[in-house]
Amino acid sequence: MFVSPSICDDGRSLWSIVLDCLISLAACSWNAVHPNIPGTDEGQWTILSRRLGIMALVVLAPELLLIWALQQFTSAGMAAKAFNEWRATSRMGHEFEGWNRTHGFFAEMGGFQLYVNGDSYGPLTVKELTCYIDQGLVGIPIIKEADILDRSKNDGFNKAFVVSQLVWFVFQFIVRVVYHLPQTLLEVETLGLVALSFVTWGLWWKKPKDVFTPCRVDWTSRAHPGELELGTETGHDSLWHVFYALASAARLTDRKIVPSSAVEAHRVPTLYSGCVGHRIVYEKQERVSIFLLAGSAVWFGAVHLFSLSYPFASAYYYWTWLLCTAVIIAMPMGIFFLAFLWCLRDLITPRRSHWQSLRVMVRFNSVVYILIRVAYVVLIILTFRSLPSDVYHVVCWTTPIPHLFS
């Protein structure tokens, strides 16, 4: 049993609550995002704006970012496995060191750039890279894991600052729950985003961060290399292509999107998650990944249940929040069920009507999800008009702990 705490009145302000949430969101989204390698001629503003767009996904659709990280995690392992299998069977393979997941991440994020006559031509997939090496068409330096990590900008001080801020946020949240002090809906939403960011961070732990320079692969033949897999446009830039990541992660589609902007910049697409051809066959690892994805998404929705004890201004706000939370929890479970059934597609004959039904369901879920996220934001803003006085109270013994903006 906990001793009755000494509560400090007005221990925090509305400004400190909002600022603490914003700092935590900025810290987790900036550090959780490990973008792919940009184009060789792209400017700093283009690179920054793309990163800010990905950070917006962390806040607006954190599950989508988790799916992207999950795709890359699986694809990086398969890329390393494919390279090592080639290395064991090819007469040229003995010249190279074995790959691990870091090498796989580097390759799948556009780490090997083909140069023809001194000009950037486009990123190479692992299949293209090994094929060109076998044919003696390219010259490539032997790249070690230390060389890749040396290009990464993920320093220890940055990690320590982020972890300390996020640990403090989660710690004070738990203390308030234990001592029955209400949280704002903004803090509940932030906790869910922080929790998913930690999962994403774990999946990308071995992925190099903020790498701007790929490994140069020089074309040594007089013949033209032809079209590369990632150098041919297969789709136009549109918001809808963002949601195809959801379907491909659940293995509901094998469609690959290479927009014109990526082709022109000679880079992999922004949300590229690995060569689709390497990930068609279901394996045990992929099924475990689907469990992880569904569990994490359900956890994000379940975090919102902490707010059910919040003194809403009206029953309408309460039931709206409860309905949104129930749908957020149920949606990933439904998608997981479909993905699990699709694992058994070798036992059935897929029909065109099956594909159409799956696409309609993905589109419907996307629209519903957007509406729910908008409803959450509206409810959070509305509750700030009349916050209960207990929101500003703090447990006195936590105030001497060093922290920011609380």
Side-chain angles (χ1 to χ4, degrees), residues 37-357:
I37 298 177
T40 54
D41 297 326
E42 288 186 316
Q44 292 296 325
W45 172 247
T46 302
I47 297 173
L48 178 61
S49 60
R50 185 183 303 123
R51 185 188 185 111
L52 293 176
I54 299 174
M55 289 174 61
L57 284 180
V58 179
V59 178
L60 300 177
E63 297 96 334
L64 190 60
L65 185 73
L66 179 61
I67 290 171
W68 179 30
L70 183 61
Q71 284 181 307
Q72 285 201 336
F73 178 84
T74 302
S75 296
M78 291 186 174
K81 179 181 178 181
F83 184 88
N84 290 332
E85 289 176 350
W86 166 84
R87 178 174 173 267
T89 57
S90 173
R91 62 183 180 85
M92 303 290 291
H94 69 277
E95 299 181 6
F96 300 88
E97 294 187 357
W99 278 15
N100 55 27
R101 197 177 294 273
T102 299
H103 291 88
F105 270 124
F106 185 71
E108 299 289 66
M109 63 191 289
F112 295 96
Q113 187 80 7
L114 181 65
Y115 278 76
V116 179
N117 297 324
D119 297 323
S120 174
Y121 191 77
L124 295 172
T125 65
V126 176
K127 182 179 180 180
E128 291 171 335
L129 177 66
T130 54
C131 181
Y132 290 153
I133 294 175
D134 278 335
Q135 297 175 14
L137 299 176
V138 296
I140 174 176
I142 299 177
I143 186 168
K144 301 179 180 179
E145 183 180 11
D147 299 326
I148 298 176
L149 297 178
D150 187 57
R151 301 167 186 253
S152 180
K153 309 299 190 300
N154 205 2
D155 60 275
F157 175 79
N158 186 38
K159 286 184 177 180
F161 171 77
V162 173
V163 171
S164 62
Q165 172 64 17
L166 298 184
V167 167
W168 159 253
F169 182 86
V170 175
F171 168 75
Q172 63 89 24
F173 189 100
I174 295 175
V175 169
R176 294 186 67 84
V177 170
V178 170
Y179 292 122
H180 306 291
L181 290 176
Q183 309 278 356
T184 64
L185 299 186
L186 178 60
E187 290 174 294
V188 174
E189 179 74 10
T190 302
L191 178 65
L193 296 174
V194 168
L196 280 193
S197 295
F198 270 113
V199 178
T200 303
W201 205 353
L203 291 172
W204 272 340
W205 190 260
K206 300 287 287 184
K207 181 181 179 181
K209 185 173 183 290
D210 293 334
V211 177
F212 298 112
T213 306
C215 177
R216 178 167 176 156
V217 180
D218 289 304
W219 182 259
T220 58
S221 174
R222 292 185 178 181
H224 194 273
E227 293 184 347
L228 300 178
E229 182 176 345
L230 296 176
T232 305
E233 180 182 342
T234 59
H236 299 284
D237 298 275
S238 70
L239 184 61
W240 165 241
H241 294 146
V242 173
F243 295 103
Y244 256 102
L246 180 63
S248 60
R251 308 306 195 266
L252 300 178
T253 178
D254 293 326
R255 181 173 179 178
K256 174 169 61 72
I257 299 298
V258 181
S260 59
S261 59
V263 175
E264 294 170 359
H266 306 296
R267 60 173 175 82
V268 300
T270 301
L271 294 181
Y272 181 67
S273 55
C275 182
V276 174
H278 294 163
R279 300 181 292 109
I280 293 178
V281 181
Y282 265 90
E283 295 181 354
K284 181 179 180 180
Q285 177 185 1
E286 293 177 322
R287 298 185 184 184
V288 172
S289 298
I290 293 176
F291 274 107
L292 173 64
L293 172 63
S296 300
V298 171
W299 159 247
F300 173 70
V303 167
H304 292 81
L305 296 176
F306 280 112
S307 61
L308 295 184
S309 60
Y310 179 84
F312 287 87
S314 68
Y316 173 77
Y317 290 164
Y318 173 82
W319 288 109
T320 302
W321 184 273
L322 181 60
L323 176 62
C324 291
T325 301
V327 175
I328 284 289
I329 295 175
M331 282 180 59
M333 298 177 67
I335 293 175
F336 163 74
F337 179 72
L338 288 175
F340 182 77
L341 291 180
W342 200 247
C343 288
L344 306 177
R345 68 181 184 274
D346 293 335
L347 304 179
I348 60 176
T349 301
R351 300 178 181 176
R352 184 177 181 84
S353 59
H354 294 164
W355 283 105
Q356 293 175 345
S357 300

